[in-house]
């Protein structure tokens, strides 16, 4: 099992102003100097609720924070000011490709799949996210075509 980046209690905070995000400041984890905006992809748990893949984001003072959205706060039954136990692991695993996408890669020249494999795990996840979020088959097909078009373009 991986060693967690963090495993401790944090107080939920809220950015000032209407619509301000609720978050947990995670000062122990430094920004990734090689990642866009210093983001770090993580997964783990908040209290007893699974935290799917998300990003630690820069606060602007060299520290990262974990956004805690409304849906998660409802599951936790917690708000700003409450304490939560956060366990985070770095998520640098590439996504598991659904069979329908693997089948599409089979129809492409080999360099298209090679280009996909050459991407970082974060880039692979970002490329697949719109496809996996599609609810209608026509939308999913269009997004797979767009993904393949992007991969066909030489970089």
């Amino acid at each position: 099992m991986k060693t967690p980046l963090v495993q401790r209690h944090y107080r939920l905070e809220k950015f000032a102003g209407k619509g301000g995000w609720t978050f947990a400041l995670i000062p122990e984890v430094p920004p990734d100097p090689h990642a866009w905006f210093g983001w770090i992809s993580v997964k783990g748990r908040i209290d007893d609720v699974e935290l799917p893949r998300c990003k630690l984001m820069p606060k602007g003072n060299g520290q990262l924070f974990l956004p805690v959205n409304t849906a998660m706060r409802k599951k936790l039954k917690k708000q700003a000011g409450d304490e939560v136990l956060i366990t985070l692991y770095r998520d640098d695993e590439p996504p598991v490709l659904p069979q329908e996408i693997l089948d599409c890669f089979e129809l492409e020249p080999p360099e298209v799949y090679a280009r996909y494999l050459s991407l970082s795990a974060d880039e692979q996840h970002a490329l697949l996210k719109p496809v996996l979020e599609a609810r209608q088959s026509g939308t999913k097909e269009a997004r797979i075509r767009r993904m393949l078009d992007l991969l066909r373009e030489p970089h």
Side-chain angles (χ1 to χ4, degrees):
M1 186 78 186
K2 283 182 163 182
T3 303
L5 288 171
V6 296
Q7 185 170 27
R8 72 175 195 85
H9 288 91
Y10 294 88
R11 185 163 313 282
L12 294 178
E13 302 177 46
K14 186 170 181 160
F15 286 116
K18 184 176 179 177
W21 292 13
T22 301
F23 66 95
L25 188 62
I26 313 288
E28 304 88 342
V29 180
D32 181 344
H34 304 292
W36 198 253
F37 298 114
W39 288 342
I40 295 181
S41 295
V42 295
K43 60 185 174 184
R45 299 190 79 70
I46 301 178
D47 288 344
D48 292 326
V49 179
E50 182 178 345
L51 180 67
R53 185 176 216 274
C54 61
K55 294 196 184 312
L56 294 181
M57 303 173 70
K59 190 165 184 247
N61 59 0
Q63 294 181 328
L64 297 176
F65 70 91
L66 175 69
V68 183
N69 66 25
T70 303
M72 177 61 77
R73 291 193 314 274
K74 284 183 180 180
K75 288 179 188 175
L76 295 166
K77 298 182 175 124
K78 304 273 177 98
Q79 294 298 322
D82 293 334
E83 197 169 272
V84 292
L85 174 62
I86 297 178
T87 304
L88 296 177
Y89 298 89
R90 187 162 189 131
D91 186 4
D92 50 11
E93 297 293 320
V96 175
L97 286 171
Q99 189 60 48
E100 65 188 323
I101 294 177
L102 288 170
D103 292 345
C104 291
F105 276 123
E106 286 289 322
L107 301 172
E108 295 292 323
E111 59 269 12
V112 174
Y113 187 55
R115 233 178 245 129
Y116 171 80
L117 293 176
S118 72
L119 299 173
S120 71
D122 277 344
E123 291 169 323
Q124 289 177 6
H125 280 281
L127 198 58
L128 283 175
K129 185 177 180 184
V131 174
L132 299 176
E133 289 177 344
R135 294 181 185 205
Q136 298 177 352
S137 61
T139 303
K140 183 177 270 191
E141 290 169 17
R143 290 179 182 180
I144 290 172
R145 280 195 302 275
R146 176 68 182 136
M147 179 185 80
L148 293 172
D149 288 345
L150 290 170
L151 290 167
R152 280 189 215 106
E153 297 171 8
H155 291 54

